[in-house]
Amino acid sequence: MRFARNPNNRSGDYLEGMLSDYVGGKAKVKATKTGCTWLVTALTCLQLAFAVYATILLYYMSPPVELRTKPEFTWATRIARNMKQFIIPPHVHGRYQEAASLITAEIFSPITPSQVCEHERIDFVQKKSSDVQMIKLKRELYDEILDFQSKTIGTETLSELMAMKSQWDMRGPNRPKVTVLLNHFKRKTLCSQLDSLLQQSLPFHQVWVLSFGSPNEHSLKRIVESYNDSRISFISSSYDFKYYGRFQMALQTEADLVYIVDDDMIPGKKMLQILSHVAGTEKYKNSVLGSIGRILPFRQKDFTFPSYRKFRSKEAGLYLPDPAYDITVQKIVQVDFLSSSWFLSAELVKALFIETPSTFMTGEDLHLSYQLQKYRNAGSFVLPVDLTDKETWGDSEHRLAYVSETTVIFKDIVQVRDDQWWRALSTGYVTQWAAMYPQKIDALFYAHSVDEVKALAPLLEKFRSSVGKKAYIVVSGGNFCPCEDAAAALNWPKSACKERRFKIFDLQVGALSGASNSEVPVLQAVYSSLKGLIKIHNPSVIITVTDIDPNVKKALKMASETNVNGTALVLLPRSSVSKVLWMADLRSTALQNWNRMRISVNIITQSRAPSLTRLLKSLSDAYYTGDEIPVSFNMDSKVDEATIKLVDSFEWLHGPKTLRRRIIQGGLIRAVSESWYPTSDDDFGLLLEDDIEVSPYYYLWIKYALLAYHYDPQVSLPELSSISLYTPRLVEVVKERPRWNPTEFFNRIHPNTPYLHQLPCSWGAVFFPKHWREFYVYMNMRFTEDAKANPVQIPKSRTNGWQASWKKFLIDMMYLRGYVSLYPNFPNQASFSTNHMEPGAHISAKDNVVRHDKADFEVPLLMEDFRTLLPNGKLPPASKLPSLNLFNQPVSLKGLKAAGAKLGQDVLPCNNATEIVTVDHITGLPQQCSKFI
């Protein structure tokens, strides 16, 4: 430190001036200044004495010189020789000369490594286990891992790796620049490391020796200086940056690759060449490579995960290589994280700092591999070695690890690291266990706030309480939704957040990314974590609420789309959550198809504005499942002004609204049949006339039935052509039209079982795309102005005389080909739709001789959750559904086809009673006669 001279201190200048005047003879001595003259004389003598003493002292502190060899001596030298014995005793004189010699040698003579290097003393043999059972468990697990990886990603020996094409030319101009970072604290291994690095077959670009808070900083610096190599730099700090400091330094390198090495690793002389070559291959360029790694714990039989340090446990994982159990790495192996050394591109180092670590005290090794996989899709690999060539080893003296105990063996650190790897696994880290044993669960719930947890709780509990079902919940954590608060909202103990058991996953969003006004950190954290969790658990559905944060919704959507096995994102309105508990009764394979179907509402209206108003209100008040539901209004040419204004002003919150109006009056047959045509095999049309009203549960019934009987791959019901909302009270096709009560009819089976009926419903039904195309072609081929000219005459059916009815043609087709419709069946014939029997094209028409009693057609709407009314609280298996023919008589599905084949009046003539017409389901055109089963 430099010190500046103080300008206010003038006493020295004053004294100097006095002496100058005196010596120069300028002083004028006056009688009155006798005291001053005496003072000047005394000071001058004292100054002379000090000069003589200093000359003698400097002479005897300097290296010895033979004074007799000089021809002349100064007066100071002669005095020094004569007064030698009196000023400095002989024993003191000797010590001064020795010290002065050492200081001079140190200043002017170069330091060599041999003078300053220290080495660890290793006077013991490598530890070996004698536990036969433990050796067997470790070896079995290692063999299982190698076998799995060889079948999935492929594993190579060292020679095979070196034979692979690499972007780096080790001897040409395209040689990689490698910066090596050596982090040192107390171990005495720096010289061994530097000696090895200086002899590498691939020269390094730079070596940075790091000393953070080390008590040996001075000696480490001297060692670096002793090598006198401009490529080797010493970087120190009195502050201990712990284990993350070296990675922070690595961000500053200009090299292509970085090699970060612990102080207990002495790499073989071929290590840089091997590492660089492998890092340049296409397969491993996006990877971190090392010589020591760990496989994290596997799940135990009780569905918990043990500590990674659990003794005598196969599930505790592996340390690779492990000389104690004679486990060597002779083929490259993917691990969950690397220890002691890391070789990677400088660009990949940045991933370590995307998320704030839970602690800076330990765990940088796991955090690096976790972040690299999560955000860069990069793996961690332990390189194989040539057992006969120690220069290929990254850890040529493994016993160094036992010289000084590391932090990972201490109990509190083990707990911290256990918490760390479990947190990683809980936030989407695909460990080797997860890769080897992919899970399959039914549902993964996501809540971004405690209120959302409460909203989803009933459905989550239903899933978890259903036999054979698996469902977990993911919470955002941090300040958004603390895990402990979420557990309390679910009436779970707070310890559920700490247990190493799959139940609740805390993403710690915000806690990891820090406070931010940007949506990017939240979107990134949710997406990257959910992507991993989906890969691990393969949920059929991710369930959340529709009003979740829009950015979180985007993240969930992107994450769900990453699953090649299919994961559907279910966005439920909060009011509907408790109404769709039947989701837990569906197979996982059916749930995956949650978003495949597209159900459109197609309304046929003319000039009944009050009726249409009632229908629209019932549609708006119904429960939905977050699907997009298009609505269309199909109006004939004579529609009145009130209806047009009503349709125009109607706001539909669940999808697009379409208006269609005919130029020429077409009548009901065209209005209905042309109101909808499917755009795909997943497009379903709900047809509603304006005098119909629907139950609040109508859409949930349709959705549930489609998933259970049409979208379940394990269910084969090709005869199902539509789903009715309405339960009829009459046998419609019999001349007498007798009353009929399905609850009483099916009482032996179950009074409320749904059933299959050959009669299509015109008072609220969803029609299937394939069968509707088929119906279009059939009606076109069979339509006649004269109903009696229709070649299809079903025995004893009053439909034979129906004129201008689209339903008559559909009945004919269903009878001839054995198709059925699914009908609900609840007490008092409560239904999901009702017909108010208001005057229109058929009801009360002048040419209609049939009189209609409103009590025979108007049924009560189902206003309560229908799930509890079903047999055993759920839809029965398709094989258990009873089936009825056109006349409400029990007939098997095969019997229905046989009746149609026997009639033999289809558009194609079939030769015998065992064949029916089959069609091209894309065009609806009849193709051939085929035998039915």
Side-chain angles (χ1 to χ4, degrees):
M1 184 177 293
R2 296 170 59 187
F3 291 91
R5 187 174 182 180
N6 189 345
N8 296 321
N9 186 358
R10 307 297 298 173
S11 60
D13 294 341
Y14 175 70
L15 180 60
E16 183 178 352
M18 288 176 60
L19 291 173
S20 298
D21 290 345
Y22 178 80
V23 174
K26 295 179 182 179
K28 296 179 180 179
V29 182
K30 297 181 180 179
T32 56
K33 296 184 178 180
T34 306
C36 291
T37 304
W38 177 84
L39 177 60
V40 170
T41 303
L43 289 174
T44 302
C45 293
L46 184 59
Q47 187 177 26
L48 180 61
F50 275 130
V52 173
Y53 178 79
T55 302
I56 296 169
L57 186 62
L58 287 173
Y59 173 79
Y60 282 102
M61 288 183 63
S62 64
V65 179
E66 181 53 57
L67 299 180
R68 289 171 298 182
T69 61
K70 302 294 182 182
E72 294 183 1
F73 300 98
T74 65
W75 63 273
T77 302
R78 288 195 297 271
I79 294 174
R81 179 183 295 170
N82 295 330
M83 300 183 67
K84 173 180 177 181
Q85 300 298 328
F86 300 100
I87 298 175
I88 303 176
H91 66 281
V92 176
H93 167 250
R95 286 205 303 270
Y96 273 124
Q97 282 193 324
E98 183 180 355
S101 299
L102 289 174
I103 293 172
T104 304
E106 183 174 350
I107 294 174
F108 297 103
S109 301
I111 307 172
T112 62
S114 61
Q115 293 176 293
V116 293
C117 278
E118 296 180 291
H119 299 277
E120 293 286 358
R121 183 180 177 185
I122 304 177
D123 53 3
F124 54 90
V125 296
Q126 173 65 53
K127 295 180 179 179
K128 295 285 185 179
S129 174
S130 58
D131 189 330
V132 177
Q133 180 65 21
M134 197 65 180
I135 294 173
K136 179 175 179 292
L137 293 176
K138 294 285 186 181
R139 190 73 231 182
E140 285 178 354
L141 181 57
Y142 184 46
D143 290 342
E144 290 172 15
I145 293 169
L146 283 181
D147 182 61
F148 169 77
Q149 292 188 7
S150 65
K151 294 177 181 177
T152 53
I153 60 175
T155 56
E156 298 88 11
T157 62
L158 180 59
S159 58
E160 289 170 339
L161 286 172
M162 298 307 289
M164 295 170 66
K165 184 179 179 180
S166 177
Q167 74 177 93
W168 302 117
D169 181 3
M170 301 304 157
R171 298 180 181 177
N174 193 32
R175 192 169 64 184
K177 292 181 179 179
V178 181
T179 292
V180 184
L181 288 86
L182 306 176
N183 195 62
H184 275 264
F185 192 71
K186 283 187 177 181
R187 281 197 177 97
K188 302 173 183 178
T189 55
L190 178 56
C191 291
S192 298
Q193 289 182 322
L194 293 176
D195 290 342
S196 174
L197 292 171
L198 287 167
Q199 299 177 59
Q200 290 291 313
S201 55
L202 173 68
F204 58 80
H205 176 61
Q206 288 180 322
V207 171
W208 296 350
V209 178
L210 310 179
S211 171
F212 297 142
S214 170
N216 299 339
E217 178 183 338
H218 179 68
S219 61
L220 293 171
K221 183 179 181 181
R222 282 169 55 82
I223 290 173
V224 171
E225 291 172 348
S226 73
Y227 278 85
N228 193 27
D229 191 322
S230 60
R231 298 174 300 162
I232 305 175
S233 302
F234 181 76
I235 303 170
S236 66
S237 170
S238 58
Y239 180 79
D240 188 357
F241 288 95
K242 296 292 183 180
Y243 306 100
Y244 285 84
R246 47 191 167 175
F247 292 95
Q248 290 172 303
M249 291 301 305
L251 295 173
Q252 307 298 318
T253 182
E254 61 181 17
D256 304 302
L257 302 161
V258 294
Y259 188 28
I260 303 171
V261 186
D262 270 358
D263 56 7
D264 59 350
M265 298 287 286
I266 311 297
K269 297 172 185 177
K270 298 178 181 178
M271 207 59 210
L272 284 186
Q273 180 181 351
I274 294 171
L275 288 165
S276 299
H277 177 87
V278 177
T281 63
E282 185 65 27
K283 183 175 181 179
Y284 296 106
K285 67 180 181 181
N286 188 43
S287 305
V288 54
L289 309 174
S291 301
I292 297 176
R294 183 173 283 278
I295 304 292
L296 285 170
F298 282 36
R299 191 165 64 177
Q300 301 176 125
K301 292 180 180 179
D302 64 353
F303 296 98
T304 64
F305 288 80
S307 167
Y308 77 105
R309 301 284 294 186
K310 184 178 180 181
F311 183 62
R312 293 184 67 85
S313 170
K314 179 179 179 180
E315 291 79 12
L318 285 176
Y319 178 78
L320 298 173
D322 198 337
Y325 298 101
D326 284 328
I327 295 178
T328 57
V329 177
Q330 298 181 56
K331 286 188 175 183
I332 192 168
V333 57
Q334 186 169 7
V335 294
D336 293 323
F337 66 91
L338 296 167
S339 296
S340 301
S341 67
W342 302 264
F343 190 90
L344 67 168
S345 70
E347 177 66 23
L348 289 179
V349 178
K350 298 176 183 177
L352 181 66
F353 303 100
I354 295 177
E355 291 182 8
T356 304
S358 56
T359 177
F360 286 97
M361 298 299 293
T362 185
E364 83 295 348
D365 42 12
L366 171 60
H367 192 64
L368 175 64
S369 293
Y370 166 48
Q371 297 288 278
L372 282 172
Q373 184 198 94
K374 188 173 183 178
Y375 293 104
R376 299 298 296 266
N377 197 30
S380 302
F381 296 88
V382 171
L383 290 186
V385 299
D386 180 348
L387 295 179
T388 63
D389 184 0
K390 219 168 185 179
E391 303 304 337
T392 65
W393 298 12
D395 180 22
S396 61
E397 184 47 82
H398 190 75
R399 289 178 295 172
L400 282 171
Y402 300 96
V403 173
S404 299
E405 299 293 5
T406 61
T407 57
V408 298
I409 68 165
F410 301 124
K411 184 177 180 181
D412 56 339
I413 296 297
V414 170
Q415 183 60 53
V416 169
R417 290 176 70 88
D418 271 335
D419 291 343
Q420 185 190 29
W421 71 256
W422 174 249
R423 188 179 300 112
L425 183 60
S426 300
T427 52
Y429 188 33
V430 184
T431 64
Q432 294 309 300
W433 168 83
M436 292 173 65
Y437 299 99
Q439 304 298 292
K440 179 59 186 172
I441 66 172
D442 298 276
L444 196 61
F445 289 76
Y446 182 85
H448 205 64
S449 68
V450 176
D451 284 343
E452 291 171 13
V453 174
K454 294 176 181 177
L456 294 169
L459 186 55
L460 174 62
E461 182 56 33
K462 179 64 169 68
F463 266 97
R464 292 186 61 83
S465 62
S466 298
V467 177
K469 296 295 181 181
K470 287 184 180 180
Y472 310 131
I473 185 169
V474 182
V475 296
S476 57
N479 296 326
F480 297 103
C481 183
C483 185
E484 290 77 8
D485 294 350
L490 294 167
N491 294 318
W492 294 354
K494 292 184 178 181
S495 59
C497 295
K498 301 296 182 182
E499 292 176 341
R500 290 198 290 269
R501 180 193 299 272
F502 294 141
K503 189 173 185 179
I504 184 169
F505 303 124
D506 181 3
L507 300 190
Q508 297 190 5
V509 175
L512 296 176
S513 58
S516 173
N517 293 326
S518 171
E519 72 280 3
V520 174
V522 172
L523 191 151
Q524 177 179 259
V526 174
Y527 165 71
S528 56
S529 294
L530 260 293
K531 180 182 69 172
L533 287 173
I534 289 171
K535 189 172 183 179
I536 295 170
H537 299 285
N538 283 296
S540 295
V541 288
I542 296 176
I543 302 174
T544 190
V545 293
T546 52
D547 59 338
I548 196 169
D549 179 274
N551 294 306
V552 174
K553 187 184 297 186
K554 291 178 186 176
L556 295 176
K557 185 176 185 298
M558 290 191 298
S560 65
E561 291 171 350
T562 62
N563 189 8
V564 294
N565 297 322
T567 295
L569 176 61
V570 178
L571 300 167
L572 294 175
R574 298 191 190 211
S575 60
S576 298
V577 172
S578 62
K579 308 297 188 298
V580 294
L581 302 186
W582 42 262
M583 288 181 68
D585 298 321
L586 293 166
R587 290 190 183 94
S588 292
T589 49
L591 281 173
Q592 286 177 310
N593 296 309
W594 182 271
N595 294 322
R596 275 188 61 184
M597 66 193 75
R598 184 176 183 265
I599 303 168
S600 60
V601 178
N602 304 276
I603 299 171
I604 299 95
T605 185
Q606 178 67 7
S607 297
R608 296 189 291 202
S611 300
L612 180 60
T613 300
R614 180 183 56 220
L615 171 60
L616 296 180
K617 184 180 186 305
S618 68
L619 287 169
S620 298
D621 292 344
Y623 297 109
Y624 295 97
T625 59
D627 302 340
E628 182 184 78
I629 308 169
V631 63
S632 70
F633 292 89
N634 302 273
M635 301 169 285
D636 226 326
S637 64
K638 297 179 180 179
V639 62
D640 61 9
E641 181 182 357
T643 302
I644 293 176
K645 288 184 176 179
L646 174 60
V647 169
D648 181 68
S649 62
F650 176 65
E651 292 187 7
W652 180 242
L653 303 178
H654 306 287
K657 180 179 74 171
T658 304
L659 277 62
R660 301 189 188 97
R661 183 180 179 183
R662 295 183 66 87
I663 296 175
I664 300 174
Q665 191 75 8
L668 189 60
I669 188 170
R670 291 181 178 84
V672 174
S673 60
E674 296 177 7
S675 64
W676 168 75
Y677 193 83
T679 59
S680 72
D681 288 346
D682 296 306
D683 189 2
F684 299 82
L686 171 61
L687 307 187
L688 298 172
E689 293 186 42
D690 53 15
D691 63 342
I692 291 172
E693 185 180 5
V694 297
S695 155
Y697 294 88
Y698 88 93
Y699 190 83
L700 304 186
W701 160 254
I702 296 170
K703 188 88 172 180
Y704 187 13
L706 280 173
L707 289 166
Y709 299 131
H710 185 74
Y711 280 104
D712 187 337
Q714 298 183 46
V715 173
S716 177
L717 194 56
E719 300 84 0
L720 186 60
S721 64
S722 59
I723 298 172
S724 172
L725 306 182
Y726 179 83
T727 306
R729 284 182 167 175
L730 301 177
V731 181
E732 189 177 356
V733 299
V734 178
K735 183 178 180 180
E736 298 78 13
R737 294 194 301 173
R739 277 191 167 246
W740 184 74
N741 189 325
T743 301
E744 296 175 357
F745 187 86
F746 294 113
N747 189 54
R748 289 186 179 181
I749 302 173
H750 189 282
N752 299 134
T753 181
Y755 62 94
L756 302 174
H757 196 184
Q758 205 168 20
L759 179 74
C761 178
S762 58
W763 294 322
V766 171
F767 294 94
F768 288 20
K770 293 179 181 179
H771 301 83
W772 193 256
R773 295 191 198 104
E774 192 175 337
F775 165 61
Y776 249 63
V777 174
Y778 178 85
M779 188 169 71
N780 181 60
M781 297 177 73
R782 284 294 169 84
F783 181 78
T784 59
E785 294 294 339
D786 181 7
K788 294 181 180 179
N790 192 315
V792 180
Q793 299 293 312
I794 300 173
K796 300 180 182 182
S797 173
R798 59 185 291 269
T799 62
N800 295 331
W802 287 2
Q803 296 181 9
S805 171
W806 67 274
K807 187 174 180 179
K808 182 255 190 305
F809 293 102
L810 186 54
I811 288 173
D812 289 351
M813 187 189 81
M814 291 178 67
Y815 186 88
L816 291 169
R817 298 175 186 175
Y819 295 150
V820 292
S821 181
L822 177 71
Y823 279 80
N825 173 25
F826 297 108
N828 199 28
Q829 288 163 295
S831 302
F832 298 104
S833 69
T834 190
N835 180 4
H836 288 288
M837 297 300 291
E838 293 168 347
H842 290 308
I843 305 299
S844 300
K846 293 180 180 179
D847 58 347
N848 192 344
V849 297
V850 178
R851 292 294 170 256
H852 297 87
D853 184 350
K854 193 173 184 178
D856 291 338
F857 297 93
E858 192 173 41
V859 298
L861 289 173
L862 197 63
M863 304 303 289
E864 61 179 313
D865 191 348
F866 62 90
R867 183 184 65 87
T868 58
L869 302 174
L870 293 170
N872 300 315
K874 58 185 177 181
L875 286 175
S879 60
K880 300 294 183 181
L881 291 172
S883 56
L884 305 177
N885 67 6
L886 194 60
F887 307 98
N888 290 48
Q889 298 167 337
V891 179
S892 67
L893 294 178
K894 185 176 181 180
L896 296 178
K897 294 176 185 176
K902 182 179 179 181
L903 184 61
Q905 296 177 358
D906 210 329
V907 293
L908 293 180
C910 296
N911 296 326
N912 55 61
T914 61
E915 293 182 339
I916 57 174
V917 173
T918 54
V919 303
D920 181 336
H921 286 299
I922 296 177
T923 63
L925 294 171
Q927 286 186 315
Q928 60 187 12
C929 294
S930 303
K931 289 188 176 183
F932 56 86
I933 301 175

